[in-house]
Amino acid sequence: MLTPRTSADISLEIKDPVDPTALTQSKAILSELRPNSSSTNNDDSLSSSSCNPKALLSIAKRLGDIPAQDDSASYLVSKEQCQEAFDNLSAEEKQTLLNIHQRVKVFAEAQRKSVVDVSIEIPGGRAGHTVSPCRGERLSWRMEKKRCANDEYSNVSSDFE
C-alpha cells in the first residue's frame, strides 16, 4: 500500500544536469564550428546552421582525434568520392553496407516511434509525459501548481528555449 503524501511532505530539488565547465567548453567548440551569421562572409565563415569543415579539422587536431602533424591527409570527402568508393567495392561488400544501412534505419525508425507522449487517467487527475526536441541554448524550469483530490502538488517540467 502506498503511503499518502501531501505537497508539504515532498521537497523539490532541481539540479543542473550538465557540468558548468563542460557546458562552457562545448559552447566554445560549437561557436568555432558554427560561426554566427554576422561574421564576415569569407571562406571559413558559414551560416549558423552549417558546420565549418576547416574549423572541424582544426578542433579535431587540437583535441587529438586526428594527428596534429598530418597535413597531407584529407579528411574531407565529397559525395562523388563516396560514390566512387562505393562503386569500387565488391558486390558482397556493397550488399553488406546496404544491409547494415537498412538494419540501422529500421531500428532508428522503430526507436523513434517508441518515444511518444503518454497521458493516462488516474484517480484525481491525469499523469503522463510529453516528448519534445531539445533546441536552444537555455534550459528554463516551469512550475505549475495542480490540484489533485484536494491535495496540492507541483508538476515540474523543462523547456528548451
Side-chain angles (χ1 to χ4, degrees):
M1 181 76 166
L2 294 175
T3 305
R5 303 270 186 218
T6 67
S7 60
D9 298 330
I10 300 169
S11 66
L12 177 63
E13 182 180 354
I14 300 174
K15 293 182 179 180
D16 191 346
V18 179
D19 176 72
T21 303
L23 182 60
T24 301
Q25 291 171 343
S26 62
K27 283 183 177 183
I29 290 171
L30 286 174
S31 69
E32 286 182 69
L33 289 174
R34 296 180 178 163
N36 62 37
S37 56
S38 64
S39 297
T40 57
N41 194 11
N42 61 29
D43 191 34
D44 290 337
S45 178
L46 303 173
S47 73
S48 63
S49 63
S50 299
C51 177
N52 182 327
K54 289 181 181 177
L56 180 62
L57 286 173
S58 172
I59 292 166
K61 288 178 182 180
R62 186 177 73 229
L63 297 177
D65 294 321
I66 58 176
Q69 67 278 10
D70 189 2
D71 291 330
S72 62
S74 174
Y75 294 95
L76 304 177
V77 180
S78 70
K79 200 182 267 191
E80 294 78 20
Q81 289 171 307
C82 287
Q83 185 64 53
E84 181 183 350
F86 181 80
D87 292 342
N88 289 328
L89 294 173
S90 69
E92 182 181 359
E93 291 169 324
K94 286 180 188 177
Q95 193 57 53
T96 299
L97 283 177
L98 292 171
N99 289 345
I100 291 168
H101 173 265
Q102 186 61 25
R103 286 187 202 126
V104 169
K105 182 178 177 186
V106 167
F107 178 78
E109 288 169 352
Q111 185 178 38
R112 177 62 188 103
K113 289 177 186 175
S114 74
V115 182
V116 296
D117 295 350
V118 173
S119 181
I120 62 168
E121 292 286 336
I122 60 169
R126 298 189 66 78
H129 69 255
T130 58
V131 179
S132 61
C134 297
R135 293 201 172 123
E137 297 180 6
R138 196 172 66 127
L139 174 65
S140 66
W141 291 95
R142 180 178 73 231
M143 294 290 293
E144 298 174 359
K145 285 299 207 180
K146 306 273 184 170
R147 190 162 290 282
C148 179
N150 297 326
D151 194 20
E152 248 184 52
Y153 70 96
S154 295
N155 178 32
V156 179
S157 62
S158 62
D159 291 326
F160 283 87
E161 299 178 324

